[in-house]
Amino acid sequence: MIDNNNRVVNYLRLSVTDRCNLRCMYCMPEEGIDFIPHSEILSYEEMIHLVGLCTQKGIRKVRITGGEPLIRKGFIGFLEMLGGVQGLEDISLTTNGVLLKELAADIINCGISRINVSLDSLKPERFYRITGGDYFEQVCEGLEEAERVGFNPIKINVVAIKGVNDDEILDFARLTLAKPYHVRFIELMPIGNKNIWAADRFISTNEILDRIETIGPLQSIGHNTLDGPAERYSLEGAKGELGFIGALSNHFCDTCNRLRLTADGHLRGCLFSDQETDIKTPLRQGVSDGHLLNLIEHTILNKPKGHGLMQFVPRKCTRPMYTIGG
Ligand code: SAM
């Protein structure tokens, strides 16, 4: 479907849970979290029904996210159901990788071969400091297993934070020389755990690019349709590639094709805007599919024009990232 700003909206980010087995410093505080009551979280059957309706409004790609999707009970069964939704051309998954070693084979057997793994440090102690979880080795084993069973591509999402992990930018870049990973640097966004956000912790895509160019020239790689907003490059002789997501410095609002469905059944046109449509209440009231389709259409048409974060003045967004789905 085309929204009121002439953008094709064909990509749904689906959050299956707000729970997580990590507490990444920029995302979730260690304490005082108000998790959504289980009764308010959409059942898998409800999600499948809504995704099916979204495909009738032009959604062709789904990325499953959270919270941490792999911790929700029955997740593999859900993937099997999702694979049967007519009209979906691509399903992918974002995970922190903690449970990937044990689930990678099952996931790929459900027909999902594209995976993003969040990993902000290659140093075990620092991984622990950033995530609050002593799972560095487990995540590395998960990545190895993902490679072994044939995921392609395996993208590694790195949130670059000044004074926290920016001294590892070159190590992450060099990782692409040895491994077929797509390492993607994500700018820190002023959303989520407010205690961490500060402008002096922010590193722009350009600064990261400049630093990486000190170890070798970067070749630009063209976009393919499943790429999303990352600017892609590779180092000479690399097995993998590098991607840069400048959500703030080089925002992609003009071409944003995303719709989001939160774990508690709200549709959102923009990660950074509180404008959302409650679709769970009417769904549970038993309204017709026609009514639900109208709600989906309304949300797509009225997708916010831009996130307005360029001056570091966020639009109103009171929901934490883990309840929306990153
Ligand atoms: N648990 C999964 C994971 O770790 O990938 C999926 C959910 S997580 C919220 C999705 C992505 O959002 C991760 O790559 C994470 O690093 C990113 N993210 C969360 N808060 C962020 C922030 N304030 N700035 C930039 N990226 C953020």
Side-chain angles (χ1 to χ4, degrees), residues 70-86:
L70 271 50
I71 63 172
R72 182 158 172 187
K73 265 195 209 132
F75 182 65
I76 298 299
F78 168 67
L79 292 185
E80 284 167 1
M81 289 195 274
L82 194 60
V85 173
Q86 294 290 311

Side-chain angles (χ1 to χ4, degrees), residues 190-191 194 268 270-274 314-321 324:
I191 184 173
K194 303 222 170 46
R268 295 173 71 101
C270 175
L271 177 60
F272 299 102
S273 164
D274 267 349
R315 292 171 70 112
K316 191 163 169 281
C317 176
T318 47
R319 250 185 197 271
M321 177 88 143
I324 305 171

